């Protein structure tokens, strides 16, 4: 069963969502490694939605839908921003971009999650973490 949340563009609210999801992962007996990976990717996605998507506009919201099962964690995060094309974000591992901060969050999300996909105009991201060994 999916849990649906709507939060204002506030980093404190994002932390509360992270804590709620962390509790659900622990309840489903996820390993500390998986919890860490999901928390890191989740934080990046929420911060991107609030800062880059909604431009910290307190009148805009971030919508989160997630589900936790013994086999996998799924989440969809939607902001009210104009969106972006993830293919236009410079590769942070390229020599010419090593000093630039942009793109690192997307790289972390892709590295720590099994699936990361952007939808529509780029203001919706879905991520999943498939467990190697279910509880």
């Amino acid at each position: 069963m999916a849990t649906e949340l709507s939060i204002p563009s506030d980093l404190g609210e994002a932390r509360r969502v992270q804590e709620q999801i962390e509790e659900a992962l622990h309840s489903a007996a996820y390993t500390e490694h998986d919890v860490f990976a999901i928390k890191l990717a989740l934080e990046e996605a929420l911060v991107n939605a609030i800062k880059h998507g909604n431009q910290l506009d307190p009148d805009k919201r971030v919508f989160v839908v997630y589900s936790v099962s013994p086999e996998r964690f799924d989440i969809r995060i939607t902001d009210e921003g104009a969106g972006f094309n993830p293919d236009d974000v410079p590769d942070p591992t390229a020599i010419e971009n090593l000093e630039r901060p942009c793109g690192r969050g997307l790289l972390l999300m892709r590295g720590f999650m099994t699936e990361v996909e952007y939808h529509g105009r780029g203001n919706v991201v879905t991520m999943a973490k498939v467990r190697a060994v279910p509880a």
Side-chain angles (χ1 to χ4, degrees), residues 14-101:
R15 279 189 290 282
R16 281 188 270 289
V17 170
Q18 289 172 266
E19 291 166 4
Q20 180 178 333
I21 290 173
E22 183 178 0
E23 286 178 26
L25 294 168
H26 283 299
S27 294
Y30 275 64
T31 66
E32 284 304 317
H33 180 270
D34 283 345
V35 171
F36 174 82
I38 291 167
K39 278 175 51 179
L40 191 61
L42 175 62
E43 179 177 12
E44 289 295 336
L46 287 170
V47 168
N48 284 349
I50 291 168
K51 280 188 172 178
H52 301 297
N54 288 352
Q55 303 290 308
L56 294 167
D57 182 340
D59 294 328
K60 291 186 177 177
R61 300 194 68 78
V62 175
F63 305 93
V64 178
V65 179
Y66 72 91
S67 63
V68 178
S69 75
E71 295 80 30
R72 62 187 285 143
F73 166 76
D74 288 280
I75 190 162
R76 182 178 74 231
I77 299 171
T78 306
D79 63 59
E80 295 186 294
F84 77 110
N85 181 347
D87 295 331
D88 291 343
V89 176
D91 176 1
T93 63
I95 304 261
E96 66 273 15
N97 297 326
L98 290 179
E99 300 293 321
R100 298 179 66 198

